[in-house]
Every structure is written in structure tokens, then in C-alpha cells.
Amino acid sequence: MSSRPELQAPPEIFYDDAEARKYTSSSRIAEIQTKLSERALELLALPDDGVPRLLLDIGCGSGLSGETITENGHQWIGLDISYSMLNVALENGVDGDLLLGDMGQGIGLRPGVIDGAISISAVQWLCNADKSSHEPRLRLKAFFGSLYRCLARGARAVLQVYPENLAQRELILSYAMRAGFAGGVVVDYPHSTKKRKEYLVLTCGPPSLSTAVPNGKGEDGEGWSDDEISGDEENQTVCISDRHRPRKKQKINKKGKGREWVLRKKEQMRRKGNVVPPDTKYTARKRKAHF
């Protein structure tokens, strides 16, 4: 059986009472969650003006990442599908407000009220069809669409993910693009098997200089740029801010379905006894585009 939890059972079943307590009591998991949450807040790039922000923690679980948000002086709302995880969070007395819900069905918050969003190891669950009614593409569309609406203009969302493969990463990224986000993927420690981490850094709004994708961390903890890494496509920072480039026009094949082809087909239909509209100067003429 695969070690990836999302391949073993739906999250609300996998994280039952026993697993939720085991997860929260693990010092190793708590340390990893703290480091990932601190990195996510760093990439969120909130203004350093001492004003508390309202953040959304997607897949908050038992509140480990929420504690990091609290320590940084911000308020937060946590969303999770596991009832057991949220119960543990309540027992631990977390400072955030907790919501029980499925992010694949959308986030039910008012438009523009969230100053930033983070998610630690949660979004890749949307790529699995745990029920016959689940369609990963529709769930990703609902999630990113509702996330875009609830974020304030110019706010960021930093989603740390563990994509199973490159195709899964591209699927997640494509639906973030369709929702209107600008940004891309930041990869920390791209050449390390164990330390490699991927973050979707998304900005609510059109691409601009302020939506540039930050650099990932290298083995020495310092940032690296695209010019410093190898040509391995999977290890590069993927920027999606150029998605508005005009598409190349399709080449018109001279042997395609032109006027002569249409007239010939109409003549064949007449020979078969079918009722065919008469030939006019408008036959086979391309129609103008309409809304």
C-alpha cells in the first residue's frame, strides 16, 4: 500500500480520532508543520506594519499551522474536512475560528474579506476521486474560484503541496490560472529528495511587477534563481504570469474545406435526393465572430 495518505482513504476517514491524536502528538510532524508554515508566511509577504491580518488556513487540521499564524500576530480562520482533527484543535484551545467543510465544494466566505491564505499539505487531496460524485477538475475549479473571490484584491495565497507527479502539479496550476490568479510555483531545495518542497504562490489579480514569483531556497538556505539551476523542467520555478500571451493563429490549409469542397458536398447530397439550400455568394463564407 502506498505511504501517501491521500491514496489510502478520504481525509475525513483517514484522519479519524486515533490518527488525529497520533498526528498532533508527534513532535516530528509538529516541527515539520511549523517550518512549512513559517515558510508559507514568509512567501505570503505580508506588510511589516504591525497590523494584524485575517488569514485563511486551508486544511488546518488540528491547528499546528494556525499556531504559527498566531505567533506571528495575525488572526486566522481554519477550514478542514476532518471532524476529528477539528475536535483536537478545540481541545488544544487554538485561537482561530474553525470551519468544518470540504474545500472541493468551495469556500463559503464573503468576497474580499481574507488578507491572505496558506495551506500545508492539503490541496493535492483534490486530485483524488474519493466518491463516485467526485470529479477532480470540477473540485479544483470550485476551490480556486471560491478562494479567488474571498481574497482581497492583491492578496496572496501560498499553498504547499505534494503533487504525486508533474501532471498533477500542472493540473492544479492550470485551474489556479483559470480562476484568475497570477504567480507560479516556488521550489525549495530542488535537488534534494528529502528536503524538496513545492509552494504555489498565487496573487489575486492580474500579473504585474508585484506578482513576481519569489526565488526558492537552495541547499545552503539561500535563494536561487532560474539561471542557477539545471535545465531539468521539473525542478524549475514555473511562472504563469505570461498566460495572456496571444495564441498563434492556426495555419490555413489550402486543401481544407473551402468553397469548392462545400459545393461538391452539396451536389452529392442533391444526387441522393436530399433537400439542400441553393448555392449563393454566401455559400462557404466564414461568419463573423459573435458573442
Side-chain angles (χ1 to χ4, degrees):
M1 182 178 291
S2 174
S3 60
R4 296 176 67 94
E6 61 266 23
L7 299 181
Q8 298 182 33
E12 64 272 26
I13 296 177
F14 181 83
Y15 290 109
D16 55 11
D17 291 341
E19 186 66 27
R21 297 184 186 283
K22 176 183 175 183
Y23 183 93
T24 308
S25 61
S26 171
S27 58
R28 174 179 169 274
I29 291 178
E31 181 182 0
I32 293 174
Q33 284 279 343
T34 300
K35 289 182 178 179
L36 294 176
S37 302
E38 289 175 348
R39 176 59 171 155
L41 287 175
E42 178 186 345
L43 293 172
L44 211 54
L46 295 171
D48 189 14
D49 53 8
V51 178
R53 261 64 183 188
L54 178 61
L55 306 182
L56 176 63
D57 186 0
I58 304 163
C60 64
S62 56
L64 295 177
S65 51
E67 291 177 358
T68 304
I69 297 176
T70 301
E71 291 172 0
N72 281 267
H74 301 293
Q75 300 173 344
W76 58 280
I77 299 173
L79 173 70
D80 203 277
I81 195 174
S82 171
Y83 185 81
S84 299
M85 279 289 204
L86 294 179
N87 270 341
V88 175
L90 288 174
E91 292 175 4
N92 293 338
V94 297
D95 294 326
D97 295 322
L98 304 177
L99 298 175
L100 177 65
D102 180 5
M103 61 179 170
Q105 296 181 354
I107 302 171
L109 296 176
R110 292 171 57 190
V113 298
I114 301 298
D115 299 314
I118 68 170
S119 177
I120 307 299
S121 313
V123 176
Q124 71 271 5
W125 287 82
L126 294 175
C127 296
N128 299 311
D130 297 318
K131 301 177 182 178
S132 59
S133 60
H134 283 182
E135 168 54 50
R137 288 173 174 80
L138 294 179
R139 290 170 60 76
L140 286 167
K141 179 181 178 181
F143 167 67
F144 282 112
S146 59
L147 177 61
Y148 188 90
R149 287 190 294 272
C150 73
L151 286 173
R153 188 72 169 179
R156 273 188 177 179
V158 178
L159 315 175
Q160 187 271 324
V161 294
Y162 288 111
E164 187 176 4
N165 47 49
L166 185 60
Q168 194 173 93
R169 180 219 275 178
E170 291 177 347
L171 178 66
I172 296 172
L173 194 57
S174 66
Y175 277 89
M177 293 167 56
R178 295 181 187 185
F181 283 105
V185 178
V186 173
V187 182
D188 285 352
Y189 311 106
H191 307 298
S192 173
T193 304
K194 293 183 178 180
K195 297 178 66 176
R196 178 187 173 95
K197 296 293 184 291
E198 297 187 16
Y199 301 83
L200 269 68
V201 182
L202 309 172
T203 304
C204 182
S208 64
L209 293 177
S210 62
T211 63
V213 181
N215 292 332
K217 288 185 177 180
E219 293 298 332
D220 55 356
E222 299 296 329
W224 50 264
S225 63
D226 291 344
D227 296 333
E228 297 171 343
I229 59 177
S230 65
D232 184 359
E233 181 181 0
E234 190 173 351
N235 290 341
Q236 291 185 359
T237 298
V238 180
C239 182
I240 62 172
S241 59
D242 58 350
R243 65 181 184 275
H244 295 296
R245 292 181 301 176
R247 295 182 178 180
K248 294 182 179 179
K249 295 182 178 180
Q250 291 183 343
K251 294 182 179 180
I252 301 175
N253 187 357
K254 295 182 180 179
K255 297 181 180 179
K257 301 178 180 180
R259 179 178 172 83
E260 294 181 0
W261 183 89
V262 173
L263 293 175
R264 186 168 62 252
K265 287 295 181 181
K266 292 177 70 175
E267 186 61 29
Q268 291 177 1
M269 297 293 287
R270 292 191 184 99
R271 293 172 185 172
K272 294 179 181 179
N274 296 321
V275 178
V276 181
D279 299 336
T280 67
K281 65 179 182 179
Y282 300 107
T283 300
R285 180 176 292 185
K286 187 177 179 180
R287 296 174 180 266
K288 292 184 179 180
H290 294 283
F291 289 107

